[in-house]
Amino acid sequence: MKKLLVSGSAGFVGYHLVKALVEEKFNIIGIDNLNDYYDVNLKIARLERLQDYQNFKFEKIDLVDKEKLFQLFEKEKFDYVINLAAQAGVRYSIENPYAYLDSNIIGFLNLLEACRKYPIDHLIYASSSSVYGSNLKQPFSESDNVDHPVSLYAATKKSNELMAHTYSNLYNIPTTGLRFFTVYGPWGRPDMAYFSFTRNIFENRLIKVFNNGNLERDFTYIQDIIEGIKKLIQTPPKENPDWDRVIADPATSNAPYQIFNIGNNKPIKLLDFINILEKEIGIEAKKEFLPMQQGDVYSTYADISSLNNYCGFNPITSIEEGLKNFVSWYKEFYKK
C-alpha cells in the first residue's frame, strides 16, 4: 500500500480526501493542529467519522513544529504528500496577518524541507483562486500574471507556488499546486459565505450581501474537487522540455513543477446562488445589501482546460444538486 500524508486532515477538503483515499486502500497518515479559527467540534466530528478505517491514523501536529514534522517523515517514509493545512480566509488575513505568516509560509517551508530530507514521489499543495487578485481577464488561466494580490492570504498562496518551484528546481521534488475555486458542500467551513447564509436563514437573521449582490463565484462542489486530486496523486509533473525561458509560462517549468486551476468553470451570480439556497431551505432570506469589502474580488472564473487535458478532470455537479446535498447535511448535523 502506498503511504500518503494529508495535512489539514480535519479540515473540509482534507476530511473528504482522506475518506475517499482510505476507501481506495491508500495508507493515510493525517495531521492537523485543530486550531480554533472555526468550530473545533466540527473538526473533531469529521475525524470521528474517519477513525473506523484501519488504514487511517491521525496525529495532532502543527506544520510550524519542525521537529515533530521531521520525526513523522523519518518514521513513516511517505510516498506522497498532500498539503491542505493553511490559515484560510481572505478577510481574516486583514485582521490577523501574523497568523498567515506562521502557518502558510513557515509551515509550508518546513514541509518542503521535510520533502527534501526524506524524498517523496509527489507533493500536491493547495493554492487558491485568490492569487488572481485584481485581474480582469476571464476565465482565469494558469498562464496569467498573478503579481497583484489584494489580500495577504492571496500573497501567501502565491508565495507557496514560488517556494514550491524553488524546491522543484533545486532538489527535483515533483510539486503540483492546485488553485481551488470556492469549494462548497457537506461538512464545509462555517466561515464560508454559503455556510453562514444557511445558518442565518435558519436562525431568521440578516445575511450580508456584499457589493449589493453584484459578485460572481465559480462555486465548485467538494466531490468534484476530490476526484480531481485523486487523478493527480500518481501522475507527478515532469520537466517540460518545451518550456521557453523567454516567454516563461508561470504554470509550468523546466523543473518538475505544475500549477492547475481546479474549479467548476461555470461562475454564478451571488443573488442567483442565494435564490437556489432559499429554495432548498424553504425560507426566504432577510438580506442586508452592503458595499464591496476590502480584499474581495468581483468575479472568479476558472479555465480548467489544462487540468482536463492533463488528467481528464471534468466537474459534473450542478449548483442545484450541490446545494441540495449541503442543506440536507446541514439539517441533519445541526438538527434543523
Side-chain angles (χ1 to χ4, degrees), residues 33 62-64 85-87 98-108:
N33 66 2
D62 193 318
L63 292 183
V64 174
Q87 179 57 61
Y98 288 97
Y100 290 75
L101 272 295
D102 288 341
S103 180
N104 298 10
I105 302 297
I106 301 300
F108 191 60

Side-chain angles (χ1 to χ4, degrees), residues 11-28:
F12 172 35
V13 179
Y15 158 72
H16 283 280
L17 181 64
V18 169
K19 188 173 184 297
L21 294 179
V22 291
E23 290 174 354
E24 296 198 4
K25 308 306 179 187
F26 281 93
N27 191 5
I28 308 294

Side-chain angles (χ1 to χ4, degrees), residues 88-99:
V90 169
R91 285 172 290 284
Y92 191 71
S93 71
I94 296 171
E95 301 165 11
N96 299 275
Y98 288 97

Side-chain angles (χ1 to χ4, degrees), residues 8 15 29 31 56 77 99 101 106 125 190 198 207 216 247 284 330:
Y15 158 72
I29 309 296
I31 64 173
F56 172 69
K77 297 178 173 56
L101 272 295
I106 301 300
Y125 61 95
T198 302
I207 66 170
E216 286 189 333
I247 299 173
E284 185 176 350
Y330 186 94

Side-chain angles (χ1 to χ4, degrees), residues 167-182:
Y167 275 71
S168 293
N169 182 66
L170 290 175
Y171 308 115
N172 206 40
I173 301 171
T175 65
T176 299
L178 295 177
R179 292 175 177 168
F180 291 113
F181 281 71
T182 317

Side-chain angles (χ1 to χ4, degrees), residues 69-222:
L69 188 65
F70 277 33
Q71 288 173 353
L72 183 70
F73 268 75
E74 184 175 19
K75 175 185 174 184
E76 299 293 349
K77 297 178 173 56
F78 297 110
D79 297 295
Y80 308 109
V81 173
I82 302 180
N83 180 45
L84 302 172
Q87 179 57 61
V90 169
R91 285 172 290 284
Y92 191 71
S93 71
I94 296 171
E95 301 165 11
N96 299 275
Y98 288 97
Y100 290 75
L101 272 295
D102 288 341
S103 180
N104 298 10
I105 302 297
I106 301 300
F108 191 60
L109 175 62
N110 288 344
L111 192 69
L112 288 169
E113 277 290 293
C115 293
R116 177 183 69 83
K117 190 172 182 180
Y118 306 98
I120 61 166
D121 294 332
H122 191 190
L123 166 63
I124 298 174
Y125 61 95
S127 185
S128 168
S129 62
S130 66
V131 300
Y132 290 104
S134 55
N135 286 18
L136 291 178
K137 173 186 166 289
Q138 293 202 354
F140 295 147
S141 166
E142 301 94 335
S143 298
D144 295 339
N145 180 290
V146 289
D147 288 341
H148 300 90
V150 295
S151 70
L152 184 64
Y153 171 69
T156 63
K157 288 300 185 179
K158 165 70 171 177
S159 299
N160 287 171
E161 295 177 1
L162 297 174
M163 293 163 72
H165 183 269
T166 301
Y167 275 71
S168 293
N169 182 66
L170 290 175
Y171 308 115
N172 206 40
I173 301 171
T175 65
T176 299
L178 295 177
R179 292 175 177 168
F180 291 113
F181 281 71
T182 317
V183 188
Y184 75 101
W187 295 96
R189 277 175 31 206
D191 63 309
M192 296 285 284
Y194 73 93
F195 202 117
S196 63
F197 286 169
T198 302
R199 180 174 58 242
N200 287 352
I201 291 171
F202 272 115
E203 295 176 1
N204 199 33
R205 294 189 296 180
L206 288 170
I207 66 170
K208 295 181 178 180
V209 184
F210 291 100
N211 199 44
N212 298 309
N214 295 318
L215 298 172
E216 286 189 333
R217 291 291 180 269
D218 200 344
F219 290 98
T220 313
Y221 190 62
I222 182 62

